[in-house]
Amino acid sequence: MPELPEVEVVRLGLEPVVTGAVVRAVEVLDERSLRRHEGSSEQFAGLLEGARLEAPRRRGKFLWVPIEGRDEALVGHLGMSGQLLFREPGAAAPRHLRVRLTLEGPNGRYDVVFVDQRVFGSLAVDVLRPAPDAPDDPAERVPGQVVHIARDPLDARFDDEAFVAALRRRRSPVKAALLDQSLVSGIGNIYADEALWRARVHFARQADGLSARTVRGLLGHVRDVFAQALVEGGTSFDAQYVNVNGQAGYFAHSLNAYGREGQPCPRCGTPLRRVPFANRSSHFCPRCQRLR
DNA sequence: CAAGCCTCCTGCTTGC
DNA sequence: TGCAAGCAGGAGGCTT
């Protein structure tokens, strides 16, 4: 389940190879993967063919590649199961292949393919617009579909105190606030549970009942778990998440709470619990993380 | 306007 | 053995 660390691993993998490359061919095998593209698949292909790509960028779980000399970018979201993979041209199509881009760089031609089992991910060509908090900086522009997404905690311009204040105004469980991408981006179900476990905060505690100190600590734990996961190549549970070369990450071995229902809490030994929350699951230690 | 629920989607696992 | 229900969840649209 790609969250910020997994998307960043993909961005890092694309960067040296995609930057400066020219799109030579576009093949859309499943139109559903263009759900977030406003035009037809033919128009999508037409916008990309001949385009020279700049260095890939990321905000939260959104990834985009600006097109040189134009106010547009190729935007990608991996959803639940999306993958961007390098392939040799002419290689056999992998299962669930949705879109194929043939690029030409200094070292010849290669394919970047978008593979997505559950089709929650998407590719699109979108117009770059000013970021709401940096309207005069062209380098800070983001695709239209990303304008409402908050900066992520690894963004140098992320405003810690504004985040702490905004979260403490929420009348909802703290985990719902962490998952709200318009408040802070990049956090999904896995890293929300991990950061809450590290901070010893119960997922259902009301956000407006937390002290500023607790929220600052929680933010620090989000950053810590992101940084560690990034070093370990991300979290690969099943075959759903891999880097651009098809390799899994190792962070699943370092998870303390997520997916560990019934196993002892690494801190106190109490069996971890899993309970339904907002159409998904929350994993927590009933001793370390109490409601009150 | 904010909060919470529903839907999109496929494949694997579980239960009868 | 077979079939259906359950489960996984990011994000946006909808309702309250």
Side-chain angles (χ1 to χ4, degrees):
Chain A
M1 300 93 205
E3 303 178 31
L4 186 148
E6 292 75 33
V7 179
E8 179 63 8
V9 168
V10 171
R11 193 197 67 79
L12 286 166
L14 291 173
E15 189 166 35
V17 183
V18 162
T19 307
V22 175
V23 180
R24 291 302 180 200
V26 177
E27 194 180 353
V28 179
L29 295 100
D30 193 328
E31 306 236 347
R32 294 174 301 173
S33 291
L34 300 190
R35 188 170 290 152
R36 292 164 149 273
H37 178 76
E38 295 210 354
S40 66
S41 54
E42 292 77 15
Q43 186 243 12
F44 171 81
L47 287 170
L48 286 172
E49 280 161 5
R52 186 179 295 276
L53 304 176
E54 297 182 349
R57 301 181 59 85
R58 183 190 55 73
R59 174 178 285 198
K61 305 168 195 171
F62 279 87
L63 192 62
W64 67 93
V65 189
I67 298 172
E68 190 179 287
R70 295 178 15 205
D71 295 326
E72 292 175 313
L74 169 63
V75 194
H77 195 292
L78 302 178
M80 275 297 299
S81 56
Q83 304 173 345
L84 286 165
L85 303 167
F86 289 138
R87 308 280 290 191
E88 293 294 322
R95 199 174 178 199
H96 307 305
L97 173 64
R98 311 295 183 192
V99 179
R100 177 191 284 119
L101 305 176
T102 301
L103 306 190
E104 185 165 1
N107 300 318
R109 289 196 176 212
Y110 57 95
D111 288 348
V112 172
V113 297
F114 183 65
V115 175
D116 190 8
Q117 178 201 103
R118 276 170 252 189
V119 210
F120 280 11
S122 63
L123 293 183
V125 176
D126 201 355
V127 178
L128 291 171
R129 303 197 182 282
D133 60 352
D136 301 321
D137 190 345
E140 290 291 318
R141 290 184 307 168
V142 298
Q145 59 191 262
V146 181
V147 166
H148 68 291
I149 302 294
R151 291 184 186 272
D152 61 62
L154 301 189
D155 187 324
R157 297 203 190 200
F158 186 87
D159 187 334
D160 286 26
E161 287 311 303
F163 164 74
V164 170
L167 185 138
R168 295 181 67 229
R169 283 194 295 269
R170 292 297 179 103
R171 272 193 300 276
S172 65
V174 60
K175 184 172 172 181
L178 290 179
L179 294 173
D180 184 341
Q181 306 296 301
S182 68
L183 192 62
V184 53
S185 66
I187 306 171
N189 203 42
I190 296 175
Y191 295 107
D193 282 1
E194 289 301 303
L196 288 165
W197 180 85
R198 289 179 182 223
R200 305 184 193 222
V201 173
H202 191 285
F203 65 91
R205 282 194 62 187
Q206 287 293 110
D208 61 1
L210 299 173
S211 69
R213 182 182 167 187
T214 297
V215 178
R216 283 188 203 107
L218 183 54
L219 177 59
H221 287 296
V222 169
R223 287 204 173 101
D224 289 348
V225 72
F226 275 174
Q228 192 186 339
L230 197 48
V231 167
E232 296 181 30
T235 301
S236 300
F237 251 107
D238 37 30
Q240 295 308 335
Y241 164 70
V242 292
N243 68 15
V244 292
N245 298 310
Q247 299 159 327
Y250 297 106
F251 194 68
H253 304 289
S254 303
L255 294 173
N256 291 299
Y258 186 87
R260 302 192 68 247
E261 178 187 18
Q263 296 177 51
C265 170
R267 214 162 27 214
C268 75
T270 303
L272 295 164
R273 292 195 56 205
R274 177 178 71 90
V275 298
F277 173 79
N279 274 339
R280 35 182 76 85
S281 291
S282 277
H283 308 74
F284 68 105
C285 171
R287 181 166 171 189
C288 297
Q289 299 165 266
R290 302 204 186 185
L291 249 184
R292 201 45 286 182

